[in-house]
PDB file of all heavy atoms in Angstrom:
ATOM      1  N   LYS A   9      -6.239  14.060  20.862  1.00 96.00           N
ATOM      2  CA  LYS A   9      -6.573  12.762  20.265  1.00 96.00           C
ATOM      3  C   LYS A   9      -7.913  12.252  20.807  1.00 96.00           C
ATOM      4  O   LYS A   9      -8.661  11.589  20.105  1.00 96.00           O
ATOM      5  CB  LYS A   9      -5.470  11.743  20.559  1.00 96.00           C
ATOM      6  CG  LYS A   9      -5.630  10.441  19.784  1.00 96.00           C
ATOM      7  CD  LYS A   9      -4.356   9.623  19.819  1.00 96.00           C
ATOM      8  CE  LYS A   9      -4.569   8.232  19.215  1.00 96.00           C
ATOM      9  NZ  LYS A   9      -4.912   8.279  17.803  1.00 96.00           N
ATOM     10  N   TYR A  35     -13.005  16.031   8.135  1.00 96.00           N
ATOM     11  CA  TYR A  35     -13.906  14.921   7.875  1.00 96.00           C
ATOM     12  C   TYR A  35     -14.471  14.420   9.190  1.00 96.00           C
ATOM     13  O   TYR A  35     -13.815  14.489  10.235  1.00 96.00           O
ATOM     14  CB  TYR A  35     -13.168  13.750   7.210  1.00 96.00           C
ATOM     15  CG  TYR A  35     -12.851  13.951   5.750  1.00 96.00           C
ATOM     16  CD1 TYR A  35     -11.690  14.616   5.357  1.00 96.00           C
ATOM     17  CD2 TYR A  35     -13.701  13.460   4.768  1.00 96.00           C
ATOM     18  CE1 TYR A  35     -11.395  14.781   4.009  1.00 96.00           C
ATOM     19  CE2 TYR A  35     -13.404  13.627   3.422  1.00 96.00           C
ATOM     20  CZ  TYR A  35     -12.259  14.294   3.062  1.00 96.00           C
ATOM     21  OH  TYR A  35     -11.970  14.461   1.731  1.00 96.00           O
ATOM     22  N   GLN A  37     -16.023  10.863  10.811  1.00 96.00           N
ATOM     23  CA  GLN A  37     -16.213   9.427  10.605  1.00 96.00           C
ATOM     24  C   GLN A  37     -17.157   8.905  11.668  1.00 96.00           C
ATOM     25  O   GLN A  37     -16.854   8.959  12.868  1.00 96.00           O
ATOM     26  CB  GLN A  37     -14.880   8.674  10.652  1.00 96.00           C
ATOM     27  CG  GLN A  37     -15.011   7.215  10.224  1.00 96.00           C
ATOM     28  CD  GLN A  37     -13.662   6.556  10.013  1.00 96.00           C
ATOM     29  OE1 GLN A  37     -12.751   6.700  10.816  1.00 96.00           O
ATOM     30  NE2 GLN A  37     -13.513   5.830   8.916  1.00 96.00           N
ATOM     31  N   PHE A  42     -18.196   5.506   8.054  1.00 92.00           N
ATOM     32  CA  PHE A  42     -18.319   6.311   6.842  1.00 92.00           C
ATOM     33  C   PHE A  42     -17.625   7.648   7.052  1.00 92.00           C
ATOM     34  O   PHE A  42     -17.859   8.336   8.047  1.00 92.00           O
ATOM     35  CB  PHE A  42     -19.790   6.517   6.473  1.00 92.00           C
ATOM     36  CG  PHE A  42     -19.964   7.312   5.212  1.00 92.00           C
ATOM     37  CD1 PHE A  42     -19.457   6.838   4.006  1.00 92.00           C
ATOM     38  CD2 PHE A  42     -20.607   8.533   5.212  1.00 92.00           C
ATOM     39  CE1 PHE A  42     -19.594   7.571   2.841  1.00 92.00           C
ATOM     40  CE2 PHE A  42     -20.747   9.268   4.043  1.00 92.00           C
ATOM     41  CZ  PHE A  42     -20.238   8.789   2.858  1.00 92.00           C
ATOM     42  N   SER A  48     -13.701  22.194   3.360  1.00 90.00           N
ATOM     43  CA  SER A  48     -12.451  22.221   2.628  1.00 90.00           C
ATOM     44  C   SER A  48     -11.992  23.673   2.539  1.00 90.00           C
ATOM     45  O   SER A  48     -12.795  24.565   2.220  1.00 90.00           O
ATOM     46  CB  SER A  48     -12.648  21.633   1.226  1.00 90.00           C
ATOM     47  OG  SER A  48     -11.502  21.845   0.432  1.00 90.00           O
ATOM     48  N   ILE A  55     -13.757  26.688   0.825  1.00 85.00           N
ATOM     49  CA  ILE A  55     -14.167  26.295  -0.519  1.00 85.00           C
ATOM     50  C   ILE A  55     -15.426  25.442  -0.469  1.00 85.00           C
ATOM     51  O   ILE A  55     -16.314  25.578  -1.286  1.00 85.00           O
ATOM     52  CB  ILE A  55     -13.031  25.484  -1.198  1.00 85.00           C
ATOM     53  CG1 ILE A  55     -11.757  26.315  -1.288  1.00 85.00           C
ATOM     54  CG2 ILE A  55     -13.469  25.001  -2.571  1.00 85.00           C
ATOM     55  CD1 ILE A  55     -11.885  27.560  -2.126  1.00 85.00           C
ATOM     56  N   ILE A  56     -15.459  24.544   0.496  1.00 82.00           N
ATOM     57  CA  ILE A  56     -16.581  23.617   0.591  1.00 82.00           C
ATOM     58  C   ILE A  56     -17.124  23.607   2.011  1.00 82.00           C
ATOM     59  O   ILE A  56     -16.380  23.484   2.970  1.00 82.00           O
ATOM     60  CB  ILE A  56     -16.147  22.191   0.198  1.00 82.00           C
ATOM     61  CG1 ILE A  56     -15.815  22.143  -1.290  1.00 82.00           C
ATOM     62  CG2 ILE A  56     -17.228  21.161   0.526  1.00 82.00           C
ATOM     63  CD1 ILE A  56     -15.039  20.938  -1.697  1.00 82.00           C
ATOM     64  N   GLU A  58     -20.145  21.403   3.590  1.00 84.00           N
ATOM     65  CA  GLU A  58     -21.103  20.357   3.223  1.00 84.00           C
ATOM     66  C   GLU A  58     -22.298  20.322   4.161  1.00 84.00           C
ATOM     67  O   GLU A  58     -22.454  19.394   4.944  1.00 84.00           O
ATOM     68  CB  GLU A  58     -20.410  18.990   3.220  1.00 84.00           C
ATOM     69  CG  GLU A  58     -19.525  18.768   2.041  1.00 84.00           C
ATOM     70  CD  GLU A  58     -20.319  18.576   0.766  1.00 84.00           C
ATOM     71  OE1 GLU A  58     -21.077  17.590   0.661  1.00 84.00           O
ATOM     72  OE2 GLU A  58     -20.188  19.426  -0.129  1.00 84.00           O
ATOM     73  N   PHE A  90     -11.405  13.869  11.537  1.00 97.00           N
ATOM     74  CA  PHE A  90     -10.085  13.815  10.905  1.00 97.00           C
ATOM     75  C   PHE A  90      -9.800  15.110  10.164  1.00 97.00           C
ATOM     76  O   PHE A  90     -10.643  15.620   9.418  1.00 97.00           O
ATOM     77  CB  PHE A  90     -10.012  12.667   9.899  1.00 97.00           C
ATOM     78  CG  PHE A  90      -9.870  11.322  10.516  1.00 97.00           C
ATOM     79  CD1 PHE A  90     -10.990  10.509  10.700  1.00 97.00           C
ATOM     80  CD2 PHE A  90      -8.625  10.849  10.926  1.00 97.00           C
ATOM     81  CE1 PHE A  90     -10.863   9.250  11.273  1.00 97.00           C
ATOM     82  CE2 PHE A  90      -8.493   9.598  11.498  1.00 97.00           C
ATOM     83  CZ  PHE A  90      -9.609   8.797  11.675  1.00 97.00           C
ATOM     84  N   GLY A  97      -4.846  18.703  -7.353  1.00 70.00           N
ATOM     85  CA  GLY A  97      -4.453  18.298  -8.697  1.00 70.00           C
ATOM     86  C   GLY A  97      -5.106  16.981  -9.018  1.00 70.00           C
ATOM     87  O   GLY A  97      -5.798  16.388  -8.196  1.00 70.00           O
ATOM     88  N   LEU A  98      -4.893  16.471 -10.239  1.00 60.00           N
ATOM     89  CA  LEU A  98      -5.535  15.228 -10.671  1.00 60.00           C
ATOM     90  C   LEU A  98      -5.163  14.057  -9.769  1.00 60.00           C
ATOM     91  O   LEU A  98      -5.982  13.201  -9.463  1.00 60.00           O
ATOM     92  CB  LEU A  98      -5.131  14.932 -12.119  1.00 60.00           C
ATOM     93  CG  LEU A  98      -5.666  13.625 -12.702  1.00 60.00           C
ATOM     94  CD1 LEU A  98      -7.191  13.646 -12.706  1.00 60.00           C
ATOM     95  CD2 LEU A  98      -5.129  13.402 -14.093  1.00 60.00           C
ATOM     96  N   ASN A  99      -3.917  13.995  -9.372  1.00 69.00           N
ATOM     97  CA  ASN A  99      -3.468  12.876  -8.543  1.00 69.00           C
ATOM     98  C   ASN A  99      -3.303  13.288  -7.092  1.00 69.00           C
ATOM     99  O   ASN A  99      -2.418  12.808  -6.403  1.00 69.00           O
ATOM    100  CB  ASN A  99      -2.145  12.324  -9.084  1.00 69.00           C
ATOM    101  CG  ASN A  99      -2.350  11.647 -10.417  1.00 69.00           C
ATOM    102  OD1 ASN A  99      -3.372  11.017 -10.661  1.00 69.00           O
ATOM    103  ND2 ASN A  99      -1.397  11.805 -11.312  1.00 69.00           N
ATOM    104  N   THR A 100      -4.192  14.176  -6.661  1.00 80.00           N
ATOM    105  CA  THR A 100      -4.143  14.639  -5.271  1.00 80.00           C
ATOM    106  C   THR A 100      -4.132  13.481  -4.295  1.00 80.00           C
ATOM    107  O   THR A 100      -4.973  12.584  -4.363  1.00 80.00           O
ATOM    108  CB  THR A 100      -5.388  15.508  -4.992  1.00 80.00           C
ATOM    109  OG1 THR A 100      -5.287  16.710  -5.726  1.00 80.00           O
ATOM    110  CG2 THR A 100      -5.500  15.839  -3.513  1.00 80.00           C
ATOM    111  N   GLU A 101      -3.169  13.493  -3.389  1.00 88.00           N
ATOM    112  CA  GLU A 101      -3.136  12.522  -2.304  1.00 88.00           C
ATOM    113  C   GLU A 101      -3.429  13.282  -1.023  1.00 88.00           C
ATOM    114  O   GLU A 101      -2.792  14.296  -0.735  1.00 88.00           O
ATOM    115  CB  GLU A 101      -1.762  11.866  -2.197  1.00 88.00           C
ATOM    116  CG  GLU A 101      -1.644  10.955  -0.971  1.00 88.00           C
ATOM    117  CD  GLU A 101      -0.276  10.309  -0.848  1.00 88.00           C
ATOM    118  OE1 GLU A 101       0.588  10.531  -1.723  1.00 88.00           O
ATOM    119  OE2 GLU A 101      -0.080   9.567   0.139  1.00 88.00           O
ATOM    120  N   ALA A 102      -4.385  12.787  -0.267  1.00 92.00           N
ATOM    121  CA  ALA A 102      -4.726  13.410   1.006  1.00 92.00           C
ATOM    122  C   ALA A 102      -3.946  12.741   2.118  1.00 92.00           C
ATOM    123  O   ALA A 102      -3.862  11.508   2.187  1.00 92.00           O
ATOM    124  CB  ALA A 102      -6.223  13.305   1.268  1.00 92.00           C
ATOM    125  N   GLN A 106      -4.217  11.751  12.836  1.00 95.00           N
ATOM    126  CA  GLN A 106      -4.589  10.517  13.536  1.00 95.00           C
ATOM    127  C   GLN A 106      -6.031  10.510  14.028  1.00 95.00           C
ATOM    128  O   GLN A 106      -6.525   9.497  14.491  1.00 95.00           O
ATOM    129  CB  GLN A 106      -3.660  10.294  14.729  1.00 95.00           C
ATOM    130  CG  GLN A 106      -2.273   9.811  14.335  1.00 95.00           C
ATOM    131  CD  GLN A 106      -1.526   9.268  15.528  1.00 95.00           C
ATOM    132  OE1 GLN A 106      -1.420   9.918  16.553  1.00 95.00           O
ATOM    133  NE2 GLN A 106      -1.002   8.060  15.391  1.00 95.00           N
TER     134      GLN A 106
ATOM    135  N   GLN B   2     -25.115   6.799  -1.830  1.00 74.00           N
ATOM    136  CA  GLN B   2     -23.766   7.355  -1.840  1.00 74.00           C
ATOM    137  C   GLN B   2     -23.207   7.357  -3.250  1.00 74.00           C
ATOM    138  O   GLN B   2     -23.559   6.546  -4.091  1.00 74.00           O
ATOM    139  CB  GLN B   2     -22.857   6.517  -0.929  1.00 74.00           C
ATOM    140  CG  GLN B   2     -23.336   6.410   0.507  1.00 74.00           C
ATOM    141  CD  GLN B   2     -23.409   7.764   1.188  1.00 74.00           C
ATOM    142  OE1 GLN B   2     -22.698   8.698   0.834  1.00 74.00           O
ATOM    143  NE2 GLN B   2     -24.286   7.894   2.147  1.00 74.00           N
ATOM    144  N   SER B  31     -10.365  10.096 -11.931  1.00 88.00           N
ATOM    145  CA  SER B  31      -9.398   9.233 -11.248  1.00 88.00           C
ATOM    146  C   SER B  31     -10.074   8.614 -10.041  1.00 88.00           C
ATOM    147  O   SER B  31     -11.132   9.077  -9.604  1.00 88.00           O
ATOM    148  CB  SER B  31      -8.165  10.028 -10.809  1.00 88.00           C
ATOM    149  OG  SER B  31      -8.519  10.967  -9.814  1.00 88.00           O
ATOM    150  N   GLN B  33      -9.039   6.653  -6.170  1.00 94.00           N
ATOM    151  CA  GLN B  33      -7.984   6.308  -5.230  1.00 94.00           C
ATOM    152  C   GLN B  33      -8.465   5.213  -4.280  1.00 94.00           C
ATOM    153  O   GLN B  33      -9.662   5.078  -4.017  1.00 94.00           O
ATOM    154  CB  GLN B  33      -7.600   7.547  -4.409  1.00 94.00           C
ATOM    155  CG  GLN B  33      -7.100   8.705  -5.248  1.00 94.00           C
ATOM    156  CD  GLN B  33      -6.757   9.916  -4.413  1.00 94.00           C
ATOM    157  OE1 GLN B  33      -7.274  10.114  -3.328  1.00 94.00           O
ATOM    158  NE2 GLN B  33      -5.873  10.750  -4.934  1.00 94.00           N
ATOM    159  N   TYR B  35      -7.571   3.853  -0.336  1.00 97.00           N
ATOM    160  CA  TYR B  35      -6.897   4.116   0.921  1.00 97.00           C
ATOM    161  C   TYR B  35      -7.110   2.927   1.851  1.00 97.00           C
ATOM    162  O   TYR B  35      -8.110   2.203   1.749  1.00 97.00           O
ATOM    163  CB  TYR B  35      -7.489   5.360   1.611  1.00 97.00           C
ATOM    164  CG  TYR B  35      -7.136   6.690   0.976  1.00 97.00           C
ATOM    165  CD1 TYR B  35      -7.764   7.110  -0.190  1.00 97.00           C
ATOM    166  CD2 TYR B  35      -6.179   7.523   1.544  1.00 97.00           C
ATOM    167  CE1 TYR B  35      -7.453   8.328  -0.771  1.00 97.00           C
ATOM    168  CE2 TYR B  35      -5.858   8.750   0.975  1.00 97.00           C
ATOM    169  CZ  TYR B  35      -6.503   9.138  -0.183  1.00 97.00           C
ATOM    170  OH  TYR B  35      -6.181  10.355  -0.754  1.00 97.00           O
ATOM    171  N   GLN B  37      -7.197   2.209   6.079  1.00 97.00           N
ATOM    172  CA  GLN B  37      -7.214   2.817   7.398  1.00 97.00           C
ATOM    173  C   GLN B  37      -7.083   1.730   8.450  1.00 97.00           C
ATOM    174  O   GLN B  37      -7.897   0.796   8.488  1.00 97.00           O
ATOM    175  CB  GLN B  37      -8.513   3.606   7.617  1.00 97.00           C
ATOM    176  CG  GLN B  37      -8.570   4.331   8.942  1.00 97.00           C
ATOM    177  CD  GLN B  37      -9.865   5.090   9.153  1.00 97.00           C
ATOM    178  OE1 GLN B  37     -10.819   4.958   8.382  1.00 97.00           O
ATOM    179  NE2 GLN B  37      -9.931   5.899  10.189  1.00 97.00           N
ATOM    180  N   GLY B  40      -7.402   3.329  14.869  1.00 90.00           N
ATOM    181  CA  GLY B  40      -6.746   4.417  15.582  1.00 90.00           C
ATOM    182  C   GLY B  40      -5.908   5.333  14.721  1.00 90.00           C
ATOM    183  O   GLY B  40      -5.212   6.216  15.239  1.00 90.00           O
ATOM    184  N   GLU B  41      -5.959   5.138  13.416  1.00 94.00           N
ATOM    185  CA  GLU B  41      -5.147   5.941  12.503  1.00 94.00           C
ATOM    186  C   GLU B  41      -6.029   6.564  11.424  1.00 94.00           C
ATOM    187  O   GLU B  41      -7.183   6.171  11.231  1.00 94.00           O
ATOM    188  CB  GLU B  41      -4.078   5.078  11.825  1.00 94.00           C
ATOM    189  CG  GLU B  41      -3.140   4.373  12.778  1.00 94.00           C
ATOM    190  CD  GLU B  41      -2.175   5.337  13.462  1.00 94.00           C
ATOM    191  OE1 GLU B  41      -1.865   6.386  12.886  1.00 94.00           O
ATOM    192  OE2 GLU B  41      -1.757   5.027  14.596  1.00 94.00           O
ATOM    193  N   GLY B  42      -5.461   7.522  10.700  1.00 96.00           N
ATOM    194  CA  GLY B  42      -6.162   8.072   9.555  1.00 96.00           C
ATOM    195  C   GLY B  42      -5.899   7.229   8.313  1.00 96.00           C
ATOM    196  O   GLY B  42      -4.964   6.429   8.282  1.00 96.00           O
ATOM    197  N   PRO B  43      -6.714   7.389   7.281  1.00 96.00           N
ATOM    198  CA  PRO B  43      -6.498   6.643   6.034  1.00 96.00           C
ATOM    199  C   PRO B  43      -5.152   6.999   5.399  1.00 96.00           C
ATOM    200  O   PRO B  43      -4.694   8.136   5.493  1.00 96.00           O
ATOM    201  CB  PRO B  43      -7.651   7.113   5.141  1.00 96.00           C
ATOM    202  CG  PRO B  43      -8.684   7.650   6.078  1.00 96.00           C
ATOM    203  CD  PRO B  43      -7.912   8.231   7.223  1.00 96.00           C
ATOM    204  N   LEU B  45      -3.040   6.579   1.640  1.00 95.00           N
ATOM    205  CA  LEU B  45      -3.214   6.268   0.224  1.00 95.00           C
ATOM    206  C   LEU B  45      -2.412   5.032  -0.179  1.00 95.00           C
ATOM    207  O   LEU B  45      -1.233   4.893   0.156  1.00 95.00           O
ATOM    208  CB  LEU B  45      -2.756   7.453  -0.631  1.00 95.00           C
ATOM    209  CG  LEU B  45      -2.900   7.268  -2.144  1.00 95.00           C
ATOM    210  CD1 LEU B  45      -4.368   7.244  -2.543  1.00 95.00           C
ATOM    211  CD2 LEU B  45      -2.151   8.350  -2.905  1.00 95.00           C
ATOM    212  N   VAL B  50      -6.006   6.185 -12.998  1.00 90.00           N
ATOM    213  CA  VAL B  50      -6.438   7.333 -13.796  1.00 90.00           C
ATOM    214  C   VAL B  50      -7.039   6.909 -15.141  1.00 90.00           C
ATOM    215  O   VAL B  50      -8.015   7.490 -15.599  1.00 90.00           O
ATOM    216  CB  VAL B  50      -5.249   8.290 -14.041  1.00 90.00           C
ATOM    217  CG1 VAL B  50      -5.662   9.449 -14.912  1.00 90.00           C
ATOM    218  CG2 VAL B  50      -4.689   8.788 -12.725  1.00 90.00           C
ATOM    219  N   LEU B  92     -12.067  12.506  -6.575  1.00 85.00           N
ATOM    220  CA  LEU B  92     -12.057  13.957  -6.460  1.00 85.00           C
ATOM    221  C   LEU B  92     -13.227  14.558  -7.202  1.00 85.00           C
ATOM    222  O   LEU B  92     -13.501  14.208  -8.348  1.00 85.00           O
ATOM    223  CB  LEU B  92     -10.750  14.508  -7.032  1.00 85.00           C
ATOM    224  CG  LEU B  92      -9.505  14.174  -6.228  1.00 85.00           C
ATOM    225  CD1 LEU B  92      -8.255  14.404  -7.048  1.00 85.00           C
ATOM    226  CD2 LEU B  92      -9.457  15.011  -4.959  1.00 85.00           C
ATOM    227  N   GLN B  97     -11.068  19.660  -5.587  1.00 71.00           N
ATOM    228  CA  GLN B  97     -10.926  20.190  -4.235  1.00 71.00           C
ATOM    229  C   GLN B  97     -11.793  19.477  -3.206  1.00 71.00           C
ATOM    230  O   GLN B  97     -11.800  19.854  -2.056  1.00 71.00           O
ATOM    231  CB  GLN B  97     -11.250  21.684  -4.238  1.00 71.00           C
ATOM    232  CG  GLN B  97     -10.194  22.495  -4.967  1.00 71.00           C
ATOM    233  CD  GLN B  97     -10.504  23.972  -4.993  1.00 71.00           C
ATOM    234  OE1 GLN B  97     -11.656  24.366  -4.882  1.00 71.00           O
ATOM    235  NE2 GLN B  97      -9.497  24.794  -5.120  1.00 71.00           N
ATOM    236  N   LYS B  98     -12.492  18.453  -3.627  1.00 82.00           N
ATOM    237  CA  LYS B  98     -13.364  17.736  -2.698  1.00 82.00           C
ATOM    238  C   LYS B  98     -13.106  16.250  -2.866  1.00 82.00           C
ATOM    239  O   LYS B  98     -13.418  15.672  -3.896  1.00 82.00           O
ATOM    240  CB  LYS B  98     -14.815  18.078  -3.021  1.00 82.00           C
ATOM    241  CG  LYS B  98     -15.838  17.385  -2.171  1.00 82.00           C
ATOM    242  CD  LYS B  98     -17.218  17.896  -2.552  1.00 82.00           C
ATOM    243  CE  LYS B  98     -18.313  17.095  -1.913  1.00 82.00           C
ATOM    244  NZ  LYS B  98     -19.646  17.603  -2.287  1.00 82.00           N
ATOM    245  N   LEU B  99     -12.516  15.633  -1.863  1.00 87.00           N
ATOM    246  CA  LEU B  99     -12.209  14.208  -1.908  1.00 87.00           C
ATOM    247  C   LEU B  99     -13.349  13.474  -1.221  1.00 87.00           C
ATOM    248  O   LEU B  99     -13.549  13.617  -0.012  1.00 87.00           O
ATOM    249  CB  LEU B  99     -10.876  13.941  -1.212  1.00 87.00           C
ATOM    250  CG  LEU B  99     -10.333  12.516  -1.282  1.00 87.00           C
ATOM    251  CD1 LEU B  99     -10.083  12.114  -2.731  1.00 87.00           C
ATOM    252  CD2 LEU B  99      -9.050  12.406  -0.466  1.00 87.00           C
ATOM    253  N   PHE B 101     -15.311   9.935  -0.231  1.00 94.00           N
ATOM    254  CA  PHE B 101     -14.982   8.543   0.052  1.00 94.00           C
ATOM    255  C   PHE B 101     -16.168   7.619  -0.170  1.00 94.00           C
ATOM    256  O   PHE B 101     -17.332   8.023  -0.075  1.00 94.00           O
ATOM    257  CB  PHE B 101     -14.495   8.403   1.491  1.00 94.00           C
ATOM    258  CG  PHE B 101     -13.085   8.872   1.682  1.00 94.00           C
ATOM    259  CD1 PHE B 101     -12.815  10.211   1.931  1.00 94.00           C
ATOM    260  CD2 PHE B 101     -12.012   7.996   1.586  1.00 94.00           C
ATOM    261  CE1 PHE B 101     -11.516  10.661   2.077  1.00 94.00           C
ATOM    262  CE2 PHE B 101     -10.714   8.436   1.731  1.00 94.00           C
ATOM    263  CZ  PHE B 101     -10.465   9.768   1.977  1.00 94.00           C
TER     264      PHE B 101
END
Side-chain angles (χ1 to χ4, degrees):
Chain A
K9 189 165 172 64
Y35 284 86
Q37 189 169 45
F42 181 61
S48 171
I55 300 298
I56 292 164
E58 285 289 296
F90 284 98
L98 177 61
N99 291 325
T100 291
E101 174 181 358
Q106 285 195 308
Chain B
Q2 303 299 333
S31 66
Q33 300 179 335
Y35 287 77
Q37 183 181 9
E41 302 289 333
L45 181 69
V50 178
L92 292 164
Q97 291 179 336
K98 178 176 171 180
L99 186 61
F101 283 86

